[in-house]
C-alpha cells in the first residue's frame, strides 16, 4: 500500500478514564516486518521517534468519530485514539483500515461487539420479535432494567431495538412514575438504578425518545432522576435551581404559549447537556449528537417565531431607546437582544441574512449608538457583543449607517467614535473589552471586505469619512501622552534620557499598544490617507517618543510602526524620516539597551538589516553620515559595516559616472568635431549623455539635502553628532560646493564639470579622510 503521512495527535486512555496526549507526529499505513502485517505507524514530528506502531488486526473494532478521530482498543484496558488535523487525512487512513478488514469505508465502526452468530439470530427472528424484551416496569426490576440499558450501548443494532421497545410500550412514562415512588420511599438503590437507566436512554440518541422525555410533564422528573448519581454522597438539587433560582424574564410579555413553552424547554435541555450530564468521553460523544441537534433546532424555531412577530420586536426597540425606560429594564432589554443574536448563529446563512436585515430595518444600529454611550458597564458590554455580531455579519451595513450620520449629528456621538471612546475608556486592567473593540474597528476599516460589487466607491468614501471624522479621536491618547516631548527635548541629555511624558502606567501602555497596532494596520492597508495623516500630524515623531517607555512591548509597537513605514520603500516617507532625523530615538534605544541580547535589540537590528538588504540609498546615506560613529563599535552583527560598505559603493559609482561626464564636458570641442565627422547612423554619444544626465538626479538631490543638513548641524537637535573633519584637498572655485566639502567631506557626491583633474584623486580618497566614521 502507499505510505500516506498525515499530522495527528496520539492519545491513550489512562486508569482514570481520561485521555493522555502522547505526542504529535505523522501517521502512515505501511507494512511492518516486525508486526508481520499492515500497521499504523506514527513518527514524532520533533525527532522522528516512533510514537505508535499498531498492526491493523482483522478483528479489531475501529471507530471513526467527528470526521477527524479514529479510536480502538488493543487490549482489555488499553484504548487508543488518533486525532487528525485534517479530515482528508482521517478519511485516507480510515479507507486503509477498512481495506485491510474488508469493510465498506462508509461505516463508522468496522466491527460490531455483538457476536456474529447472535447478530444473525436477530436477523432470523420474525418481524414481531425484532424488539428487545423489556423486564416489567416494577421497583424490584430496576436493577435488571439498568443492566439491560447499559449493556446495549456498545452495539448500534441493539441500541436501535431497545429504543423501538421503549417507544412502543410507553415505557418512559412508567419509569418516571417509579421515580416518584422511589423518591417518596427514599429508596436510594432504586434512585441510583434510575439514574443509570435515564442516562443510558439519553445515550440511545433518539429524537423520538427526547420528545417524550423533554415534554412539560416529564422533563422535571428526568432532571430528578439525574440528581441521584451513585458517585455522589448527596444528590444535586438541580430541580430546585430550575424552579426557584433560575427566573424567566420577559422583557415584553410573550403571548404565544407555544413560543413560551419552546423557550422553557430549550433552557432546561441545555442545562441537562451542559450542567447535569458529565463531559462525554471520546467514545460517548456521538451518543449525544441528537441531543445537540435537538437544542439547535429549538433555537432556530425560537428565532424564527420571534422574528415573525414584528409587534413584539418593535415594542422591544421602542423601550430600548426610550429615555424614560428604567436602567434595570434597559439592561434586561439589551441582554435579551444579546441572547437573541447568539441564538441567530444557529440559522442557515440565508436565514441569518434575513434576521439581521430585520434588525437593521427596525433600527438596531441607532439603538446601539444610544446604549453604548451609557454609564452602565453591563449594558455597554452586552451592546458591544451585539455590535460584534453585526460587524461580523455585514461590515458594509455598519459602514453605510455611519457614513450617513454626519448629516444629522456631531462628531462626538458618531457610532464609530462612541466605539473608539469605549475602547479608550475601558476600565478593565487587562483591557479585554478594548481588545474586542479594536478587532471590530480593524474589520470595519479593512479594505479587503470593502469589495462589494454593488458599491464600488465604498472604500474611498468610507476611508475619507474615517480619517475626517474619527482618526483624531483614535490618536488622541497617543498624541496626549507624547505632547510635551518637543518642549523637553533640549533638556534631555545623553543616551540614557527618560521622557517624563512617556507613560509608565501599565494600562495606559497597553492602550497605546492597541492604538499603535491599529495604526500599523492602517499603514499596511491605507496608502494615501494614512500617509497624509502621518505627514500632517508629524505622527511618527510622536510615536517614536514611546521608544523611551519602560514597557518593552510598547517600545516594540512603536518600532513596528516605523518598520512598516520603511517596509513600504516609499521615498515620500524616506524624505520625511530624513528631514525629521527620526532614526535618532531608535539608535538611542539600541545604545541604551547596551549589550543585552533581547527582542528589542533584535528588532532594531532587523530594521537596519532590511534597509541594507533592500539597498534604500537615501536612508543608508543618512544613517552612515549621521550615526556611523556611534554604531561602528557594534560588531556582533555585520549590519552596520554592511551599511557603510553599501554607502561607499554607491559613492564610488556616482563618482565614476560624474567623472565620465566631467571629462566629456572638458573635451567638448574635440567630441563635437568627432561627432560631426561620424556617420549619422552612429548615435553612440546620445545614450551616454542621457544616461549621465539621468544619473545626476541622485547627487543633486543629495547636495540639496546636505546643504539643509549643514544648517541643522549648526543648531541643537538633542543628539550629539561628531563633527566631520574638513577635506584636506583644494576647494572648488564655485561657492555652491564649499559647504558640502568643508562640512561633510562628501566631495565625491556633488561636483561640477569645471573642476580640476586633481580633485578626482582627492574625491576617491575622501572616505579614508573622515575620522568621525572610522575613529
Amino acid at each position: 500500500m502507499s505510505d500516506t503521512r498525515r499530522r495527528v495527535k496520539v492519545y491513550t486512555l489512562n486508569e482514570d478514564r481520561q485521555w493522555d496526549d502522547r505526542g504529535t507526529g505523522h501517521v502512515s499505513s505501511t507494512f511492518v516486518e516486525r508486526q508481520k502485517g499492515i500497521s499504523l505507524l506514527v513518527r514524532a514530528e520533533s525527532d522522528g521517534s516512533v510514537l505508535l506502531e499498531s498492526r491493523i488486526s482483522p478483528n479489531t473494532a475501529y471507530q471513526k468519530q467527528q470526521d477527524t478521530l479514529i479510536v480502538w482498543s488493543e487490549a482489555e484496558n488499553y484504548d487508543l485514539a488518533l486525532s487528525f488535523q485534517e479530515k482528508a487525512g482521517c478519511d485516507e487512513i480510515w479507507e486503509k483500515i477498512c481495506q485491510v478488514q474488508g469493510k465498506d469505508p462508509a461505516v463508522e465502526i468496522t466491527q460490531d461487539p455483538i457476536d456474529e452468530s447472535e447478530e444473525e439470530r436477530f436477523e432470523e427472528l420474525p418481524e414481531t420479535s425484532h424488539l428487545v424484551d423489556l423486564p416489567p416496569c416494577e421497583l424490584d426490576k430496576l436493577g435488571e432494567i439498568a443492566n439491560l440499558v447499559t449493556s446495549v450501548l456498545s452495539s448500534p443494532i441493539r441500541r436501535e431495538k431497545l429504543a423501538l421497545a421503549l417507544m412502543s410500550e410507553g415505557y418512559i412514562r412508567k419509569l418516571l412514575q417509579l421515580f416518584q415512588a422511589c423518591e417518596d420511599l427514599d429508596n436510594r438503590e432504586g434512585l441510583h438504578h434510575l439514574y443509570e437507566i435515564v442516562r443510558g436512554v439519553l445515550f440511545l440518541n433518539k429524537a423520538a425518545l427526547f420528545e417524550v422525555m423533554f415534554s412539560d410533564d416529564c422533563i422535571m422528573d428526568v432532571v430528578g432522576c439525574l440528581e441521584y448519581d451513585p458517585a455522589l454522597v448527596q444528590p444535586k438539587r438541580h430541580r430546585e435551581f430550575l424552579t426557584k433560582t433560575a427566573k424567566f424574564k420577559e422583557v415584553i410579555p410573550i403571548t404565544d404559549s407555544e413560543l413560551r413553552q419552546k423557550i422553557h424547554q430549550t433552557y432546561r435541555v441545555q442545562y441537562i447537556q451542559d450542567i447535569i450530564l458529565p463531559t462525554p468521553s471520546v467514545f460517548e460523544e456521538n451518543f449525544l449528537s441528537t441531543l445537540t441537534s435537538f437544542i439547535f433546532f429549538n433555537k432556530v424555531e425560537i428565532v424564527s417565531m420571534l422574528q415573525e412577530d414584528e409587534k413584539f420586536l418593535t415594542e422591544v426597540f421602542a423601550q430600548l431607546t426610550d429615555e424614560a425606560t428604567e436602567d434595570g429594564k434597559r439592561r434586561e432589554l439589551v441582554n435579551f437582544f444579546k441572547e437573541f443574536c447568539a441564538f441567530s448563529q444557529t440559522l442557515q446563512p440565508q436565514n441569518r441574512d434575513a434576521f439581521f436585515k430585520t434588525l437593521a430595518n427596525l433600527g438596531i444600529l441607532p439603538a446601539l449608538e444610544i446604549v453604548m454611550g451609557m454609564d452602565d458597564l453591563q449594558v455597554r458590554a452586552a451592546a458591544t457583543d451585539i455590535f460584534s455580531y453585526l460587524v461580523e455579519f455585514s461590515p458594509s451595513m455598519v459602514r453605510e449607517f455611519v457614513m450617513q450620520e454626519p448629516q444629522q449629528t456631531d462628531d462626538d456621538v458618531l457610532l464609530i467614535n462612541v466605539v473608539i471612546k469605549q475602547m479608550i475608556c475601558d476600565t478593565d486592567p487587562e483591557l479585554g473589552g478594548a481588545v474586542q473593540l479594536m478587532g471590530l474597528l480593524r474589520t470595519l476599516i479593512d479594505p479587503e471586505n470593502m469589495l462589494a460589487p454593488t458599491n464600488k466607491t465604498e472604500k474611498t468614501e468610507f476611508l475619507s469619512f474615517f480619517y475626517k471624522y474619527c482618526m483624531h479621536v483614535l490618536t488622541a491618547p497617543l498624541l496626549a501622552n507624547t505632547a510635551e516631548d518637543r518642549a523637553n527635548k533640549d533638556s534631555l541629555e545623553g543616551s540614557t534620557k527618560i521622557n517624563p511624558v512617556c507613560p509608565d502606567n501599565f494600562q495606559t501602555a497597553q492602550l497605546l499598544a492597541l492604538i499603535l497596532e491599529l495604526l500599523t494596520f492602517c499603514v499596511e492597508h491605507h496608502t494615501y490617507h494614512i500617509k497624509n495623516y502621518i505627514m500632517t500630524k508629524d505622527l511618527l515623531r510622536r510615536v517614536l517618543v514611546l521608544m523611551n517607555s519602560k514597557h518593552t512591548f510598547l517600545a516594540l509597537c512603536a518600532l513596528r510602526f516605523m518598520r512598516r513605514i520603511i517596509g513600504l520603500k516609499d521615498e515620500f516617507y524616506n524624505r520625511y524620516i530624513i528631514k525629521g532625523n527620526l532614526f535618532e530615538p531608535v539608535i538611542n534605544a539600541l545604545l541604551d539597551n547596551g549589550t543585552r541580547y533581547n527582542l528589542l535589540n533584535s528588532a532594531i537590528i532587523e530594521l537596519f538589516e532590511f534597509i541594507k538588504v533592500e539597498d534604500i540609498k537615501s536612508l543608508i546615506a543618512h544613517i552612515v553620515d549621521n550615526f556611523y560613529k556611534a554604531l561602528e563599535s557594534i560588531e556582533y552583527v555585520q549590519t552596520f559595516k554592511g551599511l557603510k560598505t553599501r554607502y561607499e559603493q554607491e559613492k564610488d559609482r556616482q563618482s565614476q559616472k560624474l567623472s565620465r561626464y566631467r571629462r566629456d564636458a572638458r573635451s567638448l570641442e574635440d567630441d563635437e568635431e568627432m561627432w560631426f565627422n561620424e556617420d549619422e547612423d552612429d548615435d553612440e554619444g546620445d545614450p551616454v549623455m542621457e544616461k549621465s544626465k539621468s544619473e545626476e538626479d541622485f547627487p543633486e538631490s543629495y547636495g540639496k539635502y546636505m546643504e539643509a543638513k549643514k544648517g541643522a548641524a549648526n543648531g541643537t537637535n538633542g543628539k550629539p553628532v561628531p563633527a566631520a573633519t574638513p577635506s584636506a584637498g583644494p576647494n572648488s572655485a564655485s561657492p555652491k560646493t564649499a559647504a558640502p566639502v568643508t562640512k561633510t567631506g562628501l566631495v565625491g557626491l556633488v561636483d561640477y564639470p569645471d573642476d580640476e583633474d586633481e580633485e578626482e584623486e582627492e574625491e576617491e580618497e575622501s572616505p579614508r579622510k573622515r575620522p568621525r566614521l572610522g575613529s
Side-chain angles (χ1 to χ4, degrees):
M1 288 185 182
S2 60
D3 185 6
T4 307
R5 300 176 63 81
R6 296 286 178 182
R7 194 165 185 264
V8 294
K9 278 187 177 292
V10 179
Y11 292 94
T12 58
L13 198 65
N14 61 27
E15 294 178 355
D16 299 325
R17 307 300 293 169
Q18 300 295 319
W19 288 99
D20 293 334
D21 186 350
R22 295 300 184 188
T24 302
H26 291 86
V27 63
S28 60
S29 58
T30 185
F31 183 84
V32 176
E33 184 67 33
R34 184 170 61 256
Q35 299 285 351
K36 299 190 185 319
I38 300 297
S39 303
L40 296 177
L41 184 66
V42 180
R43 292 192 178 275
E45 65 179 1
S46 56
D47 56 8
S49 61
V50 176
L51 295 177
L52 174 69
E53 188 178 273
S54 172
R55 181 171 178 268
I56 302 175
S57 170
N59 300 318
T60 298
Y62 291 87
Q63 187 176 1
K64 182 183 177 187
Q65 299 179 4
Q66 300 179 2
D67 292 334
T68 57
L69 205 63
I70 297 176
V71 295
W72 72 98
S73 297
E74 291 209 339
E76 187 175 348
N77 293 314
Y78 189 59
D79 297 330
L80 290 160
L82 292 180
S83 178
F84 288 75
Q85 181 174 317
E86 299 179 9
K87 178 180 181 297
C90 182
D91 291 343
E92 194 159 349
I93 294 299
W94 182 251
E95 287 179 10
K96 300 292 185 186
I97 293 170
C98 292
Q99 188 175 344
V100 171
Q101 295 197 341
K103 302 291 182 181
D104 183 356
V107 302
E108 292 187 349
I109 184 167
T110 60
Q111 305 286 335
D112 196 284
I114 295 179
D115 183 70
E116 287 190 11
S117 61
E118 183 183 354
E119 189 173 341
E120 289 171 5
R121 186 159 50 82
F122 274 121
E123 296 294 334
E124 292 168 1
L125 291 175
E127 189 71 26
T128 56
S129 301
H130 272 207
L131 305 182
V132 174
D133 289 331
L134 291 168
C137 194
E138 299 171 356
L139 284 177
D140 57 349
K141 298 292 185 180
L142 287 176
E144 189 178 337
I145 298 170
N147 290 334
L148 173 64
V149 172
T150 54
S151 68
V152 304
L153 295 179
S154 59
S155 166
I157 294 175
R158 298 189 67 194
R159 285 206 309 267
E160 187 76 28
K161 296 180 187 303
L162 177 60
L164 290 171
L166 290 171
M167 286 185 285
S168 65
E169 299 180 17
Y171 211 78
I172 299 295
R173 294 183 187 277
K174 295 176 184 178
L175 284 171
L176 296 177
Q177 290 173 4
L178 286 181
F179 163 72
Q180 295 171 4
C182 286
E183 199 165 39
D184 292 340
L185 298 170
D186 196 21
N187 181 349
R188 287 303 174 95
E189 184 181 0
L191 292 170
H192 289 163
H193 287 317
L194 282 164
Y195 170 87
E196 299 290 350
I197 294 168
V198 170
R199 181 174 178 274
V201 172
L202 289 173
F203 282 162
L204 293 178
N205 212 21
K206 290 298 174 185
L209 290 175
F210 292 161
E211 292 290 348
V212 177
M213 297 173 75
F214 300 148
S215 61
D216 283 349
D217 57 333
C218 292
I219 190 166
M220 296 311 291
D221 286 335
V222 170
V223 172
C225 291
L226 294 172
E227 290 178 352
Y228 292 94
D229 186 346
L232 302 175
V233 178
Q234 292 294 328
K236 295 286 187 180
R237 298 183 177 274
H238 296 302
R239 285 172 293 174
E240 183 178 325
F241 175 84
L242 289 173
T243 56
K244 297 180 180 179
T245 307
K247 299 295 183 183
F248 176 58
K249 296 179 180 179
E250 294 181 80
V251 290
I252 303 292
I254 297 175
T255 55
D256 188 337
S257 59
E258 183 184 354
L259 176 58
R260 287 170 59 90
Q261 185 273 333
K262 191 69 69 176
I263 292 172
H264 283 303
Q265 184 189 60
T266 304
Y267 177 78
R268 290 164 179 169
V269 176
Q270 187 90 57
Y271 183 86
I272 290 172
Q273 184 186 47
D274 295 344
I275 307 298
I276 300 179
L277 291 177
T279 303
S281 68
V282 174
F283 292 99
E284 296 172 335
E285 283 185 350
N286 278 354
F287 290 171
L288 294 175
S289 59
T290 306
L291 183 63
T292 303
S293 300
F294 185 91
I295 296 170
F296 174 88
F297 288 114
N298 264 19
K299 289 181 177 180
V300 170
E301 203 168 339
I302 290 169
V303 172
S304 301
M305 293 170 77
L306 285 172
Q307 187 179 341
E308 292 166 5
D309 191 346
E310 291 187 7
K311 183 179 178 182
F312 175 84
L313 288 178
T314 304
E315 181 63 24
V316 171
F317 273 107
Q319 291 200 23
L320 184 63
T321 55
D322 188 351
E323 294 181 1
T325 304
E326 296 178 359
D327 291 344
K329 180 71 170 177
R330 182 175 281 109
R331 189 180 304 121
E332 291 177 4
L333 289 163
V334 174
N335 285 330
F336 163 77
F337 266 116
K338 175 185 171 183
E339 193 75 11
F340 195 27
C341 290
F343 272 36
S344 73
Q345 301 306 297
T346 62
L347 297 174
Q348 294 297 315
Q350 63 271 22
N351 295 334
R352 192 159 62 246
D353 289 354
F355 168 79
F356 281 111
K357 285 174 182 174
T358 299
L359 292 187
N361 293 335
L362 290 169
I364 185 68
L365 286 167
L368 280 179
E369 194 170 54
I370 295 172
V371 297
M372 288 185 78
M374 292 182 175
D375 296 330
D376 191 315
L377 291 178
Q378 289 186 357
V379 168
R380 292 210 318 250
T384 300
D385 289 337
I386 298 169
F387 184 65
S388 69
Y389 285 121
L390 293 169
V391 171
E392 182 182 346
F393 161 68
S394 176
S396 293
M397 180 182 76
V398 178
R399 285 192 286 261
E400 184 179 355
F401 169 76
V402 298
M403 281 192 289
Q404 295 171 353
E405 290 186 287
Q407 305 169 9
Q408 50 198 338
T409 185
D410 56 19
D411 291 3
D412 290 338
V413 293
L414 292 175
L415 178 58
I416 291 192
N417 285 347
V418 170
V419 171
I420 294 173
K421 288 176 183 176
Q422 187 168 332
M423 181 182 90
I424 292 170
C425 300
D426 188 6
T427 55
D428 179 8
E430 298 298 325
L431 295 184
V435 171
Q436 180 185 10
L437 290 168
M438 191 273 288
L440 298 177
L441 283 173
R442 182 160 61 182
T443 301
L444 288 174
I445 64 175
D446 186 356
E448 292 298 319
N449 58 47
M450 297 184 193
L451 304 176
T454 54
N455 185 4
K456 297 185 181 300
T457 61
E458 179 184 17
K459 177 179 175 180
T460 303
E461 290 177 355
F462 181 76
L463 290 181
S464 298
F465 162 85
F466 181 78
Y467 280 87
K468 180 178 181 180
Y469 294 104
C470 309
M471 184 57 103
H472 67 282
V473 182
L474 177 65
T475 57
L478 177 64
L479 298 177
N481 280 281
T482 57
E484 300 174 21
D485 179 55
R486 197 181 296 272
N488 291 326
K489 195 171 184 181
D490 293 339
S491 65
L492 302 171
E493 298 181 359
S495 63
T496 58
K497 63 181 182 179
I498 297 177
N499 197 313
V501 302
C502 199
D504 286 334
N505 178 279
F506 179 74
Q507 189 169 350
T508 303
Q510 274 193 308
L511 174 63
L512 294 182
L514 283 178
I515 294 172
L516 278 175
E517 185 178 340
L518 205 57
L519 291 174
T520 303
F521 178 84
C522 293
V523 168
E524 290 181 292
H525 295 88
H526 306 163
T527 51
Y528 164 75
H529 294 87
I530 188 66
K531 184 192 299 183
N532 185 50
Y533 191 83
I534 289 173
M535 303 290 188
T536 304
K537 299 292 185 181
D538 198 11
L539 189 62
L540 181 56
R541 180 186 302 281
R542 304 289 279 273
V543 167
L544 291 175
V545 171
L546 302 177
M547 292 294 295
N548 295 312
S549 173
K550 71 176 185 180
H551 302 286
T552 306
F553 71 87
L554 183 57
L556 287 167
C557 286
L559 183 65
R560 189 182 303 117
F561 181 70
M562 185 178 190
R563 173 65 176 80
R564 289 294 182 274
I565 289 175
I566 291 175
L568 297 175
K569 296 188 285 189
D570 186 322
E571 276 304 311
F572 282 100
Y573 278 130
N574 294 345
R575 286 197 292 270
Y576 163 66
I577 291 170
I578 292 169
K579 183 177 179 181
N581 196 29
L582 298 181
F583 277 108
E584 182 184 335
V586 177
I587 291 173
N588 282 340
L590 177 64
L591 298 176
D592 292 345
N593 192 60
T595 58
R596 284 172 292 185
Y597 180 60
N598 52 21
L599 190 57
L600 182 63
N601 173 276
S602 298
I604 294 175
I605 289 175
E606 190 279 333
L607 172 69
F608 290 106
E609 183 70 20
F610 175 81
I611 294 170
K612 183 193 79 173
V613 171
E614 295 296 327
D615 196 18
I616 306 176
K617 294 179 175 57
S618 56
L619 295 184
I620 291 174
H622 173 69
I623 293 165
V624 173
D625 280 335
N626 292 277
F627 304 108
Y628 187 73
K629 182 72 175 177
L631 298 172
E632 64 178 342
S633 61
I634 299 177
E635 297 182 344
Y636 54 87
V637 290
Q638 297 302 306
T639 300
F640 301 107
K641 287 186 178 179
L643 286 171
K644 180 72 180 301
T645 302
R646 290 269 193 189
Y647 170 82
E648 291 178 341
Q649 289 172 347
E650 178 64 19
K651 180 180 172 183
D652 291 344
R653 199 171 84 233
Q654 293 294 336
S655 297
Q656 292 170 8
K657 292 175 181 177
L658 291 174
S659 297
R660 283 203 307 272
Y661 177 73
R662 189 166 54 250
R663 284 194 296 271
D664 289 343
R666 287 167 180 166
S667 57
L668 181 60
E669 293 181 1
D670 295 339
D671 289 347
E672 285 179 347
E673 186 175 348
M674 291 174 61
W675 186 82
F676 280 112
N677 290 334
E678 290 177 352
D679 295 333
E680 291 184 1
D681 293 339
D682 186 4
D683 54 356
E684 184 179 344
D686 288 340
V688 174
M689 296 296 290
E690 291 173 4
K691 183 177 180 183
S692 58
K693 182 178 179 181
S694 66
E695 288 164 351
E696 283 187 272
D697 292 345
F698 176 84
E700 284 181 2
S701 62
Y702 204 86
K704 292 178 183 178
Y705 160 68
M706 294 308 298
E707 288 179 19
K709 177 177 170 297
K710 182 193 80 168
N714 294 330
T716 59
N717 55 13
K719 167 73 178 167
V721 179
T725 302
S727 174
N731 294 332
S732 168
S734 171
K736 293 183 180 179
T737 61
V741 171
T742 57
K743 285 292 181 183
T744 67
L746 291 174
V747 187
L749 294 179
V750 182
D751 211 338
Y752 291 86
D754 57 346
D755 290 343
E756 299 298 328
D757 291 334
E758 290 80 0
E759 287 181 313
E760 297 176 33
E761 300 173 6
E762 297 285 334
E763 290 162 2
E764 293 175 359
E765 295 176 1
S766 60
R768 294 191 296 274
K769 296 183 179 181
R770 296 174 67 190
R772 75 181 182 88
L773 299 180
S775 60

